[in-house]
């Protein structure tokens, strides 16, 4: 059966633990290009387009975080990937937490970048639902123009800004709205993380105003890495620093 999600699957099927990367909203798997290029030299790297994003099918309505997680599980089952390092940024980090909740026994390491484990607030829930309606009514361009210099810092490289803007404007508003409605019901993942003992890396862009440092998740065996001169997408804004931090985590996940 063909996988439901579109995806990249790069690198050798080596003894090293595969790396699975989950993008944020409203982006696609190309946001991981700097990481796929580097880490696929040694290990298998899998990066899907979530439902409603990139080249994956659009399913209107409401897409809860566990539904995204089930899609990831189904893809990994189809690809024959049993255990893996799981990474996600922003919404992708919250989907990684949903994966951890549903099939955490398969996760050998965890990367959580510019995300939060706290439950959605009443204010945040209302704002996400209002934004969902706006995107359906107006499309993505106005939103993309407004938030570009929060997604990446105002001083970010022009090519990075252009890439981020392209991803946002290419996203189908129906998929984006469905995800926003699903995230409006986000649960509290902090108890789950408190009992998660796999080697973990938490990354925060120093200038991130969406999920600033005080909101960073905490785990028992986590290293916190703050990347200077970066906002919400440090993996694109400062890929060398981001990759260096991830490079330090991965060997710890390769030990049987």
């Amino acid at each position: 059966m063909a996988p439901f999600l579109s995806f990249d699957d790069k690198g050798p099927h080596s003894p090293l633990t595969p790396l699975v990367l989950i993008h944020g909203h409203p982006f696609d798997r190309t946001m991981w290009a700097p990481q796929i290029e580097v880490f696929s030299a040694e290990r298998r790297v899998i990066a899907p387009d979530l439902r409603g994003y990139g080249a994956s099918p659009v399913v209107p309505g409401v897409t809860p975080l566990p539904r995204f997680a089930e899609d990831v599980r189904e893809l990994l089952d189809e690809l024959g990937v049993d255990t893996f390092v799981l990474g996600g940024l922003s919404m992708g980090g919250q989907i990684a937490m949903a994966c951890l909740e549903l099939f955490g026994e398969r996760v050998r390491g965890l990367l959580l970048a510019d995300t939060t484990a706290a439950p959605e607030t009443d204010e945040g829930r209302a704002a996400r639902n209002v934004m969902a309606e706006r995107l359906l009514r107006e499309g993505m361009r106005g939103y993309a123009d407004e938030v570009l210099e929060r997604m990446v810092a105002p001083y970010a490289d022009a090519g990075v800004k252009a890439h981020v803007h392209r991803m946002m404007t290419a996203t189908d508003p129906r998929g984006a709205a469905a995800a926003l409605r699903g995230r409006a019901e986000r649960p509290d993942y902090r108890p789950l993380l408190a009992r998660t003992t796999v080697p973990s890396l938490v990354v925060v862009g120093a200038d991130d105003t969406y999920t600033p440092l005080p909101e960073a998740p905490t785990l028992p065996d986590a290293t916190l890495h703050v990347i200077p001169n970066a906002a919400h997408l440090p993996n694109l804004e400062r890929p060398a620093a981001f990759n260096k931090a991830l490079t330090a985590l991965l060997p710890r996940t390769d030990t049987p």
Side-chain angles (χ1 to χ4, degrees), residues 111-173:
L111 159 68
L112 297 175
D114 296 83
T115 192
T116 179
E120 188 59 89
T121 64
D122 290 342
E123 180 183 34
R125 186 176 300 112
R128 290 193 191 282
N129 284 310
V130 168
M131 180 59 73
E133 293 305 314
R134 177 190 166 185
L135 296 183
L136 290 172
R137 185 174 61 250
E138 300 178 8
M140 299 297 294
R141 181 165 295 275
Y143 167 77
D145 292 345
E146 288 174 16
V147 303
L148 177 61
E149 291 192 347
R150 286 189 69 193
M151 294 294 188
V152 296
Y155 49 77
D157 177 83
V160 170
K161 285 186 178 181
H163 178 195
V164 172
H165 195 265
R166 280 196 304 273
M167 287 191 290
M168 290 194 286
T169 55
T171 296
D172 191 306

